[in-house]
Amino acid sequence: MTATTDQQHTGNAELLSSTLAGAKAENRAALIAYLPAGFPTVDGGIAAVKAVLESGADIVEVGLPHSDPVLDGPVIQTADDIALRGGLKIADVLRTVREAHEATGAPILVMTYWNPIDRYGVERFTAELAAAGGAGCILPDLPVQESATWREHASKHGLATVFVVAPSSEDARLATITAAGSGFVYAASLMGVTGTRASVGERAKDLVTRTRATTDLPVCVGLGVSDADQAREVAGFADGVIVGSAFVKRMLDAPDEAAGLDAIRGLAGELAEGVRGGR
């Protein structure tokens, strides 16, 4: 399925919203996969995004690797380092979005720290992301009170702006963040960096409940989900289940790229069954 030219040039925030609404209509959470662009190579990263979408993921976050990743744990840092040493450029990230979206028709966001966008140019980045068929951005380190310029350009190009909330966020702060965001709210299930965890825990459920009290946006939970059982647990109370490190670890542990793709296809299928069993 290929996006229309109009969609490609106006962004796909509506596609993101309709995909999440579609999952809700099926009485299930959406499965959202995170994969860094350029890992293990640019072409390999594109193949990985397509593989998880074809195997059960509804939405993909494409990571823009950064040299100083404050939120990312060791697994994603390792993959980012491989991508950066391979010479990854923002153009390669946009190509990843374009080719994966054109091949699958699925909504694809970019997850990035603010500095690379600031250096690249906000207007240039938002225009090029929309032209690539991107659905929006997740910006974990951009404070809401400093986000007006970004949001203006993102809105102009039909891109969603997804902000991150944490268990430490007080209710008034949650309301401020959710009022500024669009697409969905990314609820970080715990304090700390990304990575798989033995338990996602009650704090995530409490955060979802408190966040929902401030907004009608879907609330999707990330940081820590690594298997079907955890996906099922989180899908019982969240609108979306976000999985990153577990996919990246499967690829890092694989003996070659083909085996890595097989491994993440298998994981996507297991997680997709998990989110469908959560309700």
Side-chain angles (χ1 to χ4, degrees):
M1 185 165 120
T2 303
T4 65
T5 302
D6 282 349
Q7 267 188 324
Q8 286 181 337
H9 289 284
T10 58
N12 273 317
E14 287 297 323
L15 176 62
L16 174 65
S17 296
S18 64
T19 299
L20 288 162
K24 184 177 182 180
E26 294 174 15
N27 193 33
R28 67 173 179 88
L31 175 59
I32 304 174
Y34 167 93
L35 290 163
F39 169 71
T41 61
V42 176
D43 287 343
I46 293 168
V49 174
K50 292 178 184 177
V52 296
L53 286 167
E54 289 161 358
S55 303
D58 299 290
I59 297 161
V60 167
E61 303 170 3
V62 170
L64 196 163
H66 191 267
S67 56
D68 186 24
V70 293
L71 186 71
D72 299 317
V75 169
I76 291 173
Q77 282 190 35
T78 300
D80 281 3
D81 188 54
I82 290 167
L84 292 169
R85 283 191 281 117
L88 184 84
K89 303 284 192 291
I90 285 181
D92 300 313
V93 178
L94 295 167
R95 181 185 150 215
T96 301
V97 172
R98 176 182 289 106
E99 293 192 15
H101 173 64
E102 287 180 350
T104 64
I108 301 180
L109 302 111
V110 169
M111 186 165 189
T112 178
Y113 296 103
W114 177 244
N115 189 49
I117 293 179
D118 195 34
R119 289 174 60 187
Y120 195 76
V122 176
E123 169 58 24
R124 180 185 177 195
F125 184 84
T126 51
E128 292 180 7
L129 179 57
C137 258
I138 302 164
L139 300 158
D141 66 338
L142 178 63
V144 169
Q145 60 269 30
E146 296 174 21
S147 69
T149 299
W150 161 266
R151 287 187 285 126
E152 176 189 341
H153 288 290
S155 178
K156 182 170 77 172
H157 292 290
L159 299 170
T161 297
V162 177
F163 287 112
V164 179
V165 297
S168 60
S169 303
E170 296 181 355
D171 291 350
R173 176 74 179 153
L174 288 176
T176 300
I177 293 170
T178 59
S182 55
F184 64 91
V185 182
Y186 187 126
S189 65
L190 40 81
M191 305 301 292
V193 298
T194 60
T196 61
R197 298 293 195 282
S199 170
V200 178
E202 284 297 308
R203 296 187 78 184
K205 188 172 183 178
D206 175 66
L207 177 58
V208 169
T209 301
R210 293 195 299 118
T211 303
R212 281 207 178 116
T214 71
T215 183
D216 292 329
L217 289 173
V219 183
C220 304
V221 171
L223 271 68
V225 179
S226 60
D227 60 34
D229 288 342
Q230 289 176 334
R232 188 176 297 109
E233 177 194 355
V234 174
F237 59 81
D239 299 298
V241 180
I242 303 168
V243 182
S245 295
F247 282 116
V248 176
K249 189 172 190 311
R250 294 274 179 117
M251 292 176 70
L252 283 169
D253 289 348
D256 55 50
E257 194 173 305
L261 291 174
D262 284 344
I264 62 171
R265 284 189 189 100
L267 179 59
E270 294 164 19
L271 292 166
E273 283 189 27
V275 300
R276 282 163 174 77
R279 313 247 170 116

